[in-house]
């Protein structure tokens, strides 16, 4: 391991906590037999599901209705080479329940690309993993010679 | 379209230019039959290929040797809902040419997670696409009533 860096595998609980600290992630799904990656606004629901805000006319919304997708979020500081990245896999469905939809339209995340009334997909996490990279605190590295 | 936002589909040339402005992206590949997404340091080579810096002991390096992968980079400003996202698909290979490898070890990007001598994968773009979302400049929106 690099003496100036520390890589930490994150617990599922820590992954879930970190996901709640950022407004955007990237959903990965299959489109025309190729992986598509799209930034989306999201929120972690109290029950742990991820609520993704999508444009109603987007192909993404259709692609995420009843499939298995991946979702990635990170917060990275290239200058200091510190940060974290979390990856989630799970089943996604569009939200159709009227009460849930009404509540999301009132208080839910807004799609990253605005415009029409949004639609929402929920991803139920089945696998969650992540890692954190910390630059060593100043003074911990080798002494200058 | 939201009157306060503008979505622009980017030309391939603009996508290539934007890729050259960020030090990190996310490579998407298949691991255990599931999509894996990993932040990686990268550089756009003069010939347009993407050079990805990886840890020599990483499963990612092995997974990217002779496959088709996706690579995504973005620069997003959640507060102002502005930014861009670019997605590239192409064939990836580990760099084995001695001269090319020596040059990369001297001047190439360093892996995001440091440590051992890096290995490099090159992705030859076959499909490139992206979009930009701009918040409207102040004063362009509807006049306050």
């Amino acid at each position: 391991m690099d003496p100036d860096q520390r890589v930490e595998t994150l617990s599922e609980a820590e992954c879930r906590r970190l996901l709640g600290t950022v407004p955007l992630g990237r959903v990965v799904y299959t489109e025309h037999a190729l992986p598509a990656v799209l930034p989306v606004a999201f929120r972690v629901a109290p029950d742990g599901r991820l609520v993704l805000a999508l444009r109603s006319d987007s192909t993404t919304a259709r692609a995420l209705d009843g499939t298995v997708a991946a979702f990635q979020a990170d917060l990275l500081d290239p200058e200091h080479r510190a940060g974290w990245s979390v990856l989630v896999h799970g089943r996604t469905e569009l939200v159709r329940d009227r009460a849930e939809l009404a509540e999301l339209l009132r208080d839910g995340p807004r799609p990253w690309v605005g415009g029409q009334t949004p639609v929402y997909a929920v991803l139920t996490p089945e696998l969650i993993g992540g890692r954190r990279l910390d630059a060593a605190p100043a003074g911990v590295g080798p002494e200058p010679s």
Side-chain angles (χ1 to χ4, degrees), chain A:
Chain A
M1 198 166 82
D2 187 303
D4 293 330
Q5 288 185 328
R6 204 158 53 87
V7 182
E8 180 192 354
T9 299
L10 299 173
S11 69
E12 186 178 318
E14 181 65 358
C15 288
R16 287 180 186 271
R17 189 191 70 77
L18 287 168
L19 284 176
T21 66
V22 290
L24 288 173
R26 293 156 199 92
V27 65
V28 181
Y29 59 101
T30 302
E31 191 175 54
H32 307 310
L34 287 172
V37 185
L38 196 80
V40 291
F42 81 110
R43 175 182 299 170
V44 183
D47 62 7
R49 296 183 306 164
L50 307 185
V51 179
L52 318 182
L54 305 162
R55 295 208 308 184
S56 57
D57 63 345
S58 70
T59 56
T60 312
R62 287 189 293 277
L64 292 180
D65 195 13
T67 191
V68 171
F71 185 83
Q72 188 266 354
D74 57 42
L75 194 64
L76 302 168
D77 175 354
E79 192 183 342
H80 301 100
R81 299 208 158 230
W84 56 266
S85 175
V86 166
L87 183 63
V88 179
H89 294 94
R91 195 149 185 89
T92 56
E93 306 279 353
L94 290 187
V95 174
R96 290 201 172 78
D97 179 87
R98 287 198 177 199
E100 188 177 2
L101 193 54
E103 190 182 321
L104 284 170
L105 288 171
R106 205 168 45 238
D107 298 322
R110 284 195 306 143
W112 170 252
V113 176
Q116 307 86 349
T117 305
V119 296
Y120 292 94
V122 289
L123 186 154
T124 305
E126 284 155 33
L127 293 169
I128 303 183
R131 59 185 192 161
R132 192 200 319 261
L133 178 71
D134 284 322
V140 169
E143 293 290 325
S145 56

